Amino acid sequence: MKTDKVYKCEIINMIELTPMEKLFHLRILDPAERDLFSFRAGQFVMVEVPGFGEVPISLSSSPNNREFMELCIRKAGQTTNMLHKARIGSRVGIRGPFGTAFPMEQMVGHNLLLIAGGLGLAPLRAPIYWVTDHRSDYRDVHILYGTKEPWQMLFTYQYEEWERINHIRMLTIVEKGDENWKGNTGMITELFNDITIDPANTYAIVCGPPVMFKFVCNHMDNLGIPMNHMFVSLERRMHCGMGKCCRCMVGSTFTCVDGPVFDYWSVMNLKEAI
Amino acid sequence: MIYKVITKSEFRKFVSGLIRENQTIGPKLVDSDREGNPIYQFKEVNSFDEMDLDYTQADYSIKNFYLPFREELSRFDYSNSDWEQNIEYHVHPRVIVGVRACDINALTKLDKIFMKGNFPSPHYIARRKNTFLIGMDHEPLDDCFCKSLNQDVVRHGFNLYCTDIGKSYYLTINSSKAFNFLRNVKTSDPGKEDDRKYIERRKYLKKKFRTHVEVTGLPALMDIEFQSDVWKKWGDKCLNCGSCAMVCPTCYCHGVEENIEVNLKRSRKERVQYSCSIVDFAEVAGGHNFRPLKEDRLKYRFYHHYRGFAENADEQICVGCNRCGRACLAGINPRDVINDLRMESEE
């Protein structure tokens, strides 16, 4: 899948997660193309609504699921608004998968910290699925998830499954609670007070708004987690996904082909990155 | 590389033959500016006399013939709630005559982006492969600094290159197509006198450069001066109009737009030239802008030209033509900005 060719998909299911975010299940129509399509946790696709535009969306499903892909899409612009108006059975296009992935094989035998803020839980779902599919390969796994308000929490229906069935410790926090919120309030870094980690044997994956990276990664750096053990997924505007349009360029790096997944060491040395 | 010598009258016959057989583009005098200086542009020509091969510099480089301002990438045809995508790229053989060394070097830089790597552009490749490029040397303008960047000499990226040695051109033949075309034309092998004139001409042109920009260690300087006040000084002047990118022979930042036809039966996906100095270039859906300030965007353009591309391709993307400096409505040019940065680091 290396040209401008767009692969036709059918929307086979849609789940409304919040008033702003929907989870789409897309299935590539052509069985031959479907067989060819595979991706790694952390990669993204360009979702095409013909006539309206294309948007880069992280793959949110298990890399082992070859039948359909899941994409969590926030209503944020013209194309995503159109997508939110689509119905089951509608056809959209995809190009990809593009970009780099989280090095899940490299993390085998270590503890994992999966840290997400807001919509960042969507790209983090792919490595979570990977871990749950290969649970015995990893030691202690923590998910730290924070949003501004409780209603913004995504995939709440899966937390119990992750904790109870997959033995992943899930910690959540909101910046501002409401009358029903009984959990933690504050910044996501406060969740580190509730966990014990062995820094040298821990890998971390961080997805979230740009402002979060610096605080979270600095905190982990202070805890002693090596910088090349922390992976972040950067967000940028993208028009081509192929390292041509330069919209996503940071310094000498294209977020679409050299990223979106970077280790913190590389990003820290990249001007303007975070 | 094969070298031949052709008389100017024979060259005229040769090019006239190409014009008869192919779509041909050459430098034409189109107007004059307020000071009475001539304005040249590359335009389609129907006869040799329409061209002015002694032109100084065309306002726009030939980039636009390879990366048009707007081009169709694909088309979607709709029927019965379904759609089909069509990708087409047809380019008729064409000839471009009189291209300067820096502009050819600019194309070889674009080749690295659009013809190589995992995602080559079929549209660009079609245009590049179907264009016969004849280069020609020229006396540098007062503000050209291509020599500083080693871009005043051309080694690749053309079919034929002409060096003016008086009554003849010293031809550098760089493709079998050019060699075959020249079979039907009267040329001769260069003699000792021709070689001497060629070397003299090269020396003469080297000496004519008046502007020098010190680019040694520039990538490191860009890193060191990332927080410099120089960016604010020039950023405050910048109008964010994108003129610099439009005239630059190597700027290739673009956007992809989709336009649906009024009858709702068809839509076009188009690549549209853009500029990193335009305010929404790095804005993401939802409104966050990764480069909200003018100085950020100006800095980014310089950073890409003198630092970013240098790291990826081991060379700077700028060819030193200074078109951006001449086109800038706010009077910003690379020489002044780089000199300011250097002074900053020396203080």
Side-chain angles (χ1 to χ4, degrees):
Chain A
M1 295 195 182
K2 287 183 175 177
T3 65
D4 287 326
K5 171 132 175 63
V6 169
Y7 293 87
K8 213 181 275 181
C9 298
E10 188 181 16
I11 299 176
I12 56 169
N13 195 16
M14 285 160 75
I15 303 165
E16 191 164 324
L17 300 172
T18 74
M20 294 294 288
E21 281 103 6
K22 270 185 186 173
L23 184 70
F24 291 78
H25 292 191
L26 300 186
R27 189 179 148 98
I28 298 175
L29 281 174
D30 184 334
E33 288 170 2
R34 197 186 314 144
D35 282 346
L36 281 174
F37 185 87
S38 67
F39 72 94
R40 295 190 300 141
Q43 289 192 295
F44 68 94
V45 286
M46 297 295 287
V47 181
E48 163 88 44
V49 182
F52 287 88
E54 265 186 319
V55 281
I57 307 285
S58 288
L59 284 147
S60 206
S61 45
S62 166
N64 293 331
N65 183 354
R66 304 295 291 262
E67 276 305 297
F68 62 90
M69 66 192 91
E70 292 174 70
L71 303 171
C72 176
I73 301 176
R74 174 178 282 176
K75 206 171 10 172
Q78 178 185 265
T79 310
T80 48
N81 268 312
M82 274 314 291
L83 279 164
H84 271 245
K85 284 179 190 160
R87 294 174 190 166
I88 290 173
S90 299
R91 288 175 182 190
V92 294
I94 59 150
R95 286 191 297 126
F98 292 117
T100 52
F102 299 113
M104 302 310 294
E105 295 81 5
Q106 191 185 323
M107 301 179 188
V108 168
H110 292 82
N111 303 309
L112 294 191
L113 274 178
L114 306 167
I115 305 163
L119 187 56
L121 192 60
L124 207 67
R125 254 175 114 232
I128 294 173
Y129 273 121
W130 178 271
V131 170
T132 55
D133 289 346
H134 305 85
R135 187 63 191 86
S136 58
D137 287 349
Y138 303 93
R139 287 160 67 185
D140 293 346
V141 182
H142 290 87
I143 301 173
L144 313 184
Y145 182 43
T147 55
K148 282 193 173 146
E149 293 181 50
W151 67 267
Q152 292 169 322
M153 292 247 162
L154 301 171
F155 306 108
T156 44
Y157 57 90
Q158 288 192 296
Y159 299 171
E160 200 202 332
E161 174 197 326
W162 291 338
E163 286 214 288
R164 202 166 49 80
I165 304 172
N166 301 309
H167 309 292
I168 295 173
R169 193 159 167 234
M170 175 95 196
L171 291 98
T172 54
I173 194 164
V174 294
E175 279 180 36
K176 197 176 137 216
D178 57 21
E179 62 273 17
N180 298 320
W181 181 253
K182 305 276 189 295
N184 298 306
T185 48
M187 304 308 287
I188 193 162
T189 43
E190 288 172 35
L191 291 178
F192 283 95
N193 301 331
D194 300 338
I195 58 169
T196 317
I197 54 160
D198 169 16
N201 287 315
T202 299
Y203 274 89
I205 295 176
V206 189
C207 299
V211 67
M212 198 186 91
F213 293 125
K214 209 168 248 176
F215 291 107
V216 171
C217 292
N218 266 345
H219 196 90
M220 290 195 288
D221 186 28
N222 292 336
L223 290 176
I225 299 176
M227 284 187 192
N228 59 354
H229 280 203
M230 302 179 214
F231 293 89
V232 298
S233 179
L234 296 190
E235 177 201 9
R236 283 294 185 279
R237 185 166 190 154
M238 292 173 192
H239 277 214
C240 70
M242 303 188 287
K244 301 273 185 286
C245 73
C246 289
R247 295 279 181 153
C248 68
M249 203 173 186
V250 185
S252 52
T253 301
F254 291 97
T255 314
C256 62
V257 290
D258 303 316
V261 174
F262 295 93
D263 67 280
Y264 184 56
W265 168 249
S266 320
V267 165
M268 201 190 67
N269 289 308
L270 204 58
K271 311 277 187 201
E272 277 192 341
I274 53 173
Chain B
M1 213 86 90
I2 295 172
Y3 299 98
K4 294 275 183 192
V5 172
I6 188 169
T7 61
K8 286 189 174 169
S9 58
E10 198 64 25
F11 180 75
R12 183 193 170 94
K13 272 191 227 162
F14 167 62
V15 173
S16 298
L18 291 175
I19 294 172
R20 271 197 303 278
E21 302 290 328
N22 304 279
Q23 182 199 22
T24 305
I25 293 136
K28 275 174 93 168
L29 177 69
V30 291
D31 209 339
S32 59
D33 65 13
R34 274 182 299 186
E35 280 94 39
N37 300 315
I39 296 174
Y40 296 98
Q41 279 180 9
F42 275 93
K43 294 245 177 209
E44 192 164 339
V45 291
N46 296 310
S47 74
F48 189 88
D49 290 331
E50 280 183 48
M51 293 189 289
D52 185 348
L53 293 176
D54 295 323
Y55 75 107
T56 47
Q57 190 179 59
D59 283 357
Y60 291 91
S61 78
I62 51 163
K63 174 183 81 176
N64 297 347
F65 295 100
Y66 297 88
L67 293 174
F69 182 78
R70 187 177 281 277
E71 75 170 327
E72 181 181 292
L73 295 177
S74 63
R75 199 181 60 240
F76 293 95
D77 293 301
Y78 306 105
S79 60
N80 302 328
S81 72
D82 200 359
W83 45 266
E84 282 305 320
Q85 186 195 21
N86 296 295
I87 303 173
E88 288 168 12
Y89 34 93
H90 298 301
V91 181
H92 292 294
R94 58 186 186 176
V95 179
I96 305 184
V97 188
V99 186
R100 302 310 193 201
C102 59
D103 284 350
I104 297 172
N105 285 328
L107 273 184
T108 59
K109 288 174 195 291
L110 291 178
D111 291 349
K112 287 186 178 158
I113 297 149
F114 290 98
M115 291 174 80
K116 306 214 163 80
N118 285 337
F119 305 105
S121 159
H123 306 273
Y124 180 88
I125 292 171
R127 291 197 175 92
R128 194 74 167 106
K129 298 270 182 208
N130 284 297
T131 307
F132 187 80
L133 202 63
I134 303 177
M136 193 156 281
D137 71 354
H138 76 132
E139 293 197 13
L141 300 180
D142 289 350
D143 56 356
C144 288
F145 58 97
C146 49
K147 189 182 145 199
S148 307
L149 288 152
N150 219 7
Q151 302 297 326
D152 57 323
V153 184
V154 65
R155 296 175 191 88
H156 318 280
F158 58 89
N159 297 85
L160 197 60
Y161 193 79
C162 310
T163 306
D164 193 339
I165 53 167
K167 288 180 180 163
S168 305
Y169 287 120
Y170 197 98
L171 296 180
T172 308
I173 302 165
N174 197 26
S175 73
S176 57
K177 199 188 265 184
F179 188 76
N180 283 335
F181 280 1
L182 285 167
R183 279 180 198 276
N184 308 322
V185 184
K186 209 170 130 195
T187 58
S188 59
D189 290 329
K192 280 215 164 4
E193 183 59 15
D194 298 315
D195 291 342
R196 190 191 60 76
K197 282 184 186 166
Y198 173 75
I199 291 163
E200 283 303 314
R201 171 75 176 170
R202 294 287 335 136
K203 281 185 187 164
Y204 168 77
L205 293 178
K206 280 251 181 245
K207 276 187 196 150
K208 288 286 277 185
F209 280 93
R210 290 195 181 88
T211 303
H212 178 70
V213 176
E214 184 53 59
V215 293
T216 316
L218 200 51
L221 183 72
M222 289 277 157
D223 273 350
I224 294 163
E225 296 298 341
F226 198 76
Q227 306 291 351
S228 168
D229 290 339
V230 169
W231 300 119
K232 169 131 183 69
K233 174 187 159 187
W234 291 102
D236 281 349
K237 290 179 200 274
C238 180
L239 300 170
N240 295 152
C241 62
S243 300
C244 47
M246 294 305 122
V247 297
C248 174
T250 55
C251 272
Y252 61 94
C253 293
H254 60 261
V256 177
E257 284 179 10
E258 299 204 21
N259 296 306
I260 199 155
E261 285 185 6
V262 181
N263 61 16
L264 306 179
K265 287 185 176 164
R266 198 182 268 188
S267 72
R268 284 157 58 88
K269 189 167 171 177
E270 294 173 321
R271 188 192 59 76
V272 185
Q273 285 293 100
Y274 215 73
S275 165
C276 55
S277 49
I278 295 175
V279 67
D280 65 346
F281 186 78
E283 191 181 75
V284 289
H288 178 74
N289 195 336
F290 283 94
R291 289 190 208 104
L293 303 173
K294 293 206 281 185
E295 65 207 66
D296 294 339
R297 296 191 288 276
L298 178 103
K299 175 166 69 180
Y300 172 76
R301 186 164 182 273
F302 277 84
Y303 206 76
H304 186 191
H305 272 229
Y306 299 103
R307 164 71 170 76
F309 196 79
E311 190 170 281
N312 289 338
D314 255 350
E315 59 182 279
Q316 278 142 354
I317 199 169
C318 175
V319 292
C321 66
N322 199 39
R323 281 190 179 95
C324 54
R326 262 170 263 136
C328 183
L329 301 167
I332 304 169
N333 68 62
R335 183 193 58 198
D336 292 346
V337 177
I338 292 170
N339 284 347
D340 263 8
L341 279 178
R342 286 214 174 273
M343 284 167 70
E344 183 88 353
S345 66
E346 281 161 15
E347 273 171 6

